[in-house]
Amino acid sequence: MRTLSRLTGRRGRNRRLSARILTSQLAILALTGIVGFVLLAFSQRAQLDRQYEQEAVAIASTTAAEPQIRDSMEYGGGGDVVQDIAERIRHTSGASYVVVTDLRGIRYSHPNPALIGKSVGLPLVITDGRAHAGIDHGTLGRAANGKVPLYGPTGELVGEVSVGIEETQVLTRLWQQLPSFAFYVGIALTVGVVTSYLLARRLKRSTFGLELEEITGLLQDREAMLHGIREGVIAFGPDGRITVANDEARRLLALGTALGARLEDLMPDGRLRRALTGVLEGQDLTVLTDSHFLLINRRPVALRGRELGAVVTVRDRTELVGLLRELDSVRGLTDALRSQQHEFSNRMHVLAGLLELGEHEAALEYAMELGCAEASLADHVRERIGSPLLVGLVMAKTTVAAERGVRLTLSDDSVLGEQPAHLDRLLTIVGNLLDNAVDAAASGGSAPPLVRLTLIECAERITVRVADSGPGVPEAVRARIFEDGWSTRPDRGTARRGLGLALVHRLAQRHGGSVHVSTGPGAVFTVTLPTADPRPAGSTSAVLIGKGTGA
């Protein structure tokens, strides 16, 4: 119950966290909208100021163009003409004031008649003959102001005309425009809110409804699991790029830095790449590399109808397969020894019968004949093969073949020294080829069942040739017989079928040699290995899989 409560509380906090993210987005949008609205208001205020300043300049220019004002200001005697015309223009245009002054700054018109005839107290700015606009802080308050020069009928500068528009008119105009600004800002804010909501929903779908703390926990659990298990795990995205590769996968496949890369860029075409990419279908696909025997399984990943890629698991079965092959060899030797035991018992019965009948000379002759036959076979092998390990292998395989009714012979032209090059590889190659040949000869073909082994060592290379009297290798499958897992024989439940020829092929190629198959009758496998070993130092793990064949 406590665990359930903690999980429920955690999910509650996660939901609040998601709500806080959305609230933060909305707060940012609201703050941005308010700041934008204020900046827009200030910008519009400045624009209105400039607009009213230009309007004031236009009113001042109209006033300065009045003929009566020009005559009165140059020749005098106009009485209240200037004041009357200025006030009429002020009321007509809506200006706050229209002030006409002479070159000394004496007012000739003003909304406040008490100020007429008094100086403005400021120097004239129109002496340059140009119009001026700006903000004026005069006796009537802040106003948008425009000043233009006033010329008499003769073209002589006689004064200036100053027109002002009060700030209240600017603010009134601004307040009239602000609702439309607020409407547009509201539309933008609404669009932002809707977009934020849709974005939040999309992000939630992208994370499959998981919140930030849950994603963090899943990432930690995934890293702990991936790098803690003794099984290689590789994940591919929908585009075929590697998105996950744990330490075991990097070790087994020699991937290095592989995240974001495609398999085509990391390894050549072959059974391994085809199994990883899904070209080869099936469960527990067997792949033999230079160092490991691997079982590969690929599973596509989909969630809620969305294809997310695939996950591949890679299991190392190198030691297990080596043990199974060794067990298989021991089983064969056990069967051979059991057969020899029966044969020996039969021979002892014959000797006992001869002795019981008193046929001592016949019994002696029979015993010497048996001893010579066994010794002649061993002597024949020792004369041509100097290595005790290979002699023991050939004798053991001869016994196993005889138990299955197959005769195994060593050719008379065989020559191999006591310490030949590639001795470990030769044990594996010869053992695998003889196993396949005995199986083929025992399964049918020309009679009698026969396997012939040839081992020739010279200065440049070592040649191994194994011919059998079996049905041979069809032309249609000749190109596939060296693939991992390919076999025409049933699985006996111990050793993995389809590894012998693949291992022979890999060993030969890895050490600069070659493997060829031809028809005999039957099948003839020829392996050549150069005397010099071009393989990298320390690369022996692949041989370990097949060493059990020499037991």
Side-chain angles (χ1 to χ4, degrees):
M1 291 298 292
R2 292 181 179 177
T3 302
L4 181 60
S5 300
R6 286 197 297 269
L7 291 176
T8 305
R10 181 181 177 184
R11 291 194 63 85
R13 290 195 299 272
N14 288 339
R15 284 195 293 270
R16 289 195 297 271
L17 175 61
S18 177
R20 287 199 303 269
I21 292 175
L22 180 58
T23 303
S24 300
Q25 291 176 334
L26 297 180
I28 292 173
L29 286 174
L31 179 61
T32 304
I34 293 173
V35 171
F37 178 78
V38 173
L39 293 178
L40 183 60
F42 276 103
S43 175
Q44 188 64 19
R45 167 65 183 272
Q47 183 177 353
L48 288 174
D49 284 339
R50 290 191 296 270
Q51 178 181 341
Y52 277 97
E53 289 171 5
Q54 297 302 319
E55 186 176 342
V57 170
I59 297 172
S61 299
T62 301
T63 304
E66 280 290 331
Q68 294 180 359
I69 294 178
R70 296 173 66 188
D71 289 341
S72 298
M73 292 302 295
E74 183 172 359
Y75 301 116
D80 295 330
V81 173
V82 175
Q83 171 69 4
D84 294 339
I85 296 175
E87 284 299 301
R88 186 175 70 248
I89 293 175
R90 182 176 71 83
H91 288 294
T92 303
S93 63
S96 300
Y97 61 84
V98 178
V99 178
V100 179
T101 62
D102 60 14
L103 294 179
R104 295 172 300 169
I106 302 300
R107 297 185 181 96
Y108 282 78
S109 67
H110 196 277
N112 185 2
L115 296 178
I116 297 175
K118 294 182 179 181
S119 175
V120 296
L122 295 174
L124 300 179
V125 297
I126 46 77
T127 55
D128 57 359
R130 295 184 301 171
H132 292 265
I135 301 299
D136 178 35
H137 299 274
T139 59
L140 298 178
R142 188 179 187 274
N145 178 259
K147 296 178 180 180
V148 298
L150 177 61
Y151 295 94
T154 62
E156 182 181 357
L157 180 64
V158 295
E160 76 172 12
V161 178
S162 177
V163 176
I165 301 176
E166 285 184 331
E167 183 181 20
T168 56
Q169 297 187 36
V170 178
L171 294 178
T172 301
R173 182 77 174 273
L174 179 62
W175 282 108
Q176 291 174 352
Q177 294 181 358
L178 285 182
S180 61
F181 297 157
F183 176 72
Y184 292 128
V185 171
I187 292 177
L189 183 61
T190 302
V191 172
V193 169
V194 174
T195 303
S196 298
Y197 176 73
L198 295 177
L199 179 61
R201 290 191 59 186
R202 180 176 180 181
L203 291 176
K204 202 168 186 65
R205 286 198 305 269
S206 299
T207 59
F208 303 104
L210 299 176
E211 299 294 344
L212 296 179
E213 293 181 0
E214 293 175 320
I215 294 175
T216 302
L218 286 177
L219 178 61
Q220 294 174 347
D221 295 341
R222 190 201 74 167
E223 291 299 314
M225 178 190 68
L226 286 179
H227 298 288
I229 60 177
R230 295 294 296 172
E231 184 170 303
V233 177
I234 308 175
F236 297 91
D239 57 352
R241 297 184 180 275
I242 298 176
T243 57
V244 174
N246 68 347
D247 297 337
E248 186 69 4
R250 297 175 190 272
R251 182 184 72 86
L252 295 176
L253 303 177
L255 291 178
T257 304
L259 295 182
R262 297 178 181 273
L263 285 178
E264 292 80 359
D265 303 327
L266 300 176
M267 59 181 63
D269 186 25
R271 181 176 175 83
L272 175 60
R273 196 176 87 180
R274 293 196 296 270
L276 293 175
T277 56
V279 176
L280 296 179
E281 298 181 352
Q283 295 183 351
D284 289 341
L285 296 177
T286 60
V287 176
L288 186 65
T289 68
D290 288 343
S291 304
H292 305 283
F293 175 82
L294 306 176
L295 293 184
I296 296 178
N297 286 281
R298 178 186 172 97
R299 293 291 179 87
V301 178
L303 185 59
R304 298 176 183 174
R306 292 170 52 191
E307 295 292 336
L308 302 180
V311 174
V312 177
T313 58
V314 182
R315 285 176 285 173
D316 186 8
R317 291 294 182 266
T318 305
E319 295 182 1
L320 178 61
V321 170
L323 291 174
L324 290 176
R325 293 178 65 82
E326 185 173 353
L327 178 61
D328 193 59
S329 298
V330 171
R331 175 180 292 180
L333 289 177
T334 303
D335 293 340
L337 290 176
R338 185 181 298 109
S339 174
Q340 285 185 336
Q341 179 185 2
H342 292 169
E343 183 68 19
F344 182 77
S345 298
N346 292 332
R347 292 174 180 177
M348 290 300 99
H349 292 159
V350 172
L351 285 175
L354 291 175
L355 292 175
E356 186 177 355
L357 294 174
E359 299 290 339
H360 300 97
E361 294 184 1
L364 178 60
E365 183 178 352
Y366 179 69
M368 293 184 62
E369 180 181 351
L370 293 178
C372 291
E374 295 292 337
S376 63
L377 176 61
D379 292 340
H380 177 75
V381 175
R382 289 194 186 97
E383 287 177 1
R384 288 156 180 79
I385 300 177
S387 172
L389 294 177
L390 277 172
V391 171
L393 174 65
V394 173
M395 295 300 298
K397 296 299 181 182
T398 301
T399 303
V400 173
E403 190 270 336
R404 300 186 61 185
V406 178
R407 181 187 175 195
L408 193 156
T409 63
L410 181 65
S411 64
D412 293 337
D413 58 345
S414 296
V415 177
L416 194 67
E418 185 175 352
Q419 291 294 332
H422 310 289
L423 179 57
D424 288 341
R425 267 79 69 192
L426 283 176
L427 290 172
T428 301
I429 292 172
V430 172
N432 281 292
L433 290 180
L434 288 179
D435 286 342
N436 288 339
V438 170
D439 285 340
S443 63
S446 60
L450 177 65
V451 174
R452 186 175 184 83
L453 170 65
T454 303
L455 296 171
I456 300 176
E457 180 184 13
C458 61
E460 295 82 12
R461 61 183 177 273
I462 297 176
T463 303
V464 179
R465 184 179 297 108
V466 177
D468 62 71
S469 61
V473 179
E475 187 69 27
V477 300
R478 192 169 295 180
R480 297 179 50 208
I481 60 175
F482 297 113
E483 291 183 0
D484 309 343
W486 188 91
S487 176
T488 58
R489 293 175 290 166
D491 196 337
R492 294 203 300 265
T494 54
R496 283 273 178 178
R497 290 304 183 189
L499 290 182
L501 292 180
L503 183 59
V504 170
H505 183 262
R506 187 172 295 275
L507 285 175
Q509 283 196 333
R510 189 180 184 188
H511 300 282
S514 62
V515 181
H516 300 285
V517 58
S518 59
T519 57
V524 179
F525 288 87
T526 304
V527 180
T528 59
L529 292 174
T531 303
D533 189 358
R535 68 187 178 93
S539 301
T540 60
S541 54
V543 180
L544 297 179
I545 301 177
K547 278 190 176 180
T549 57

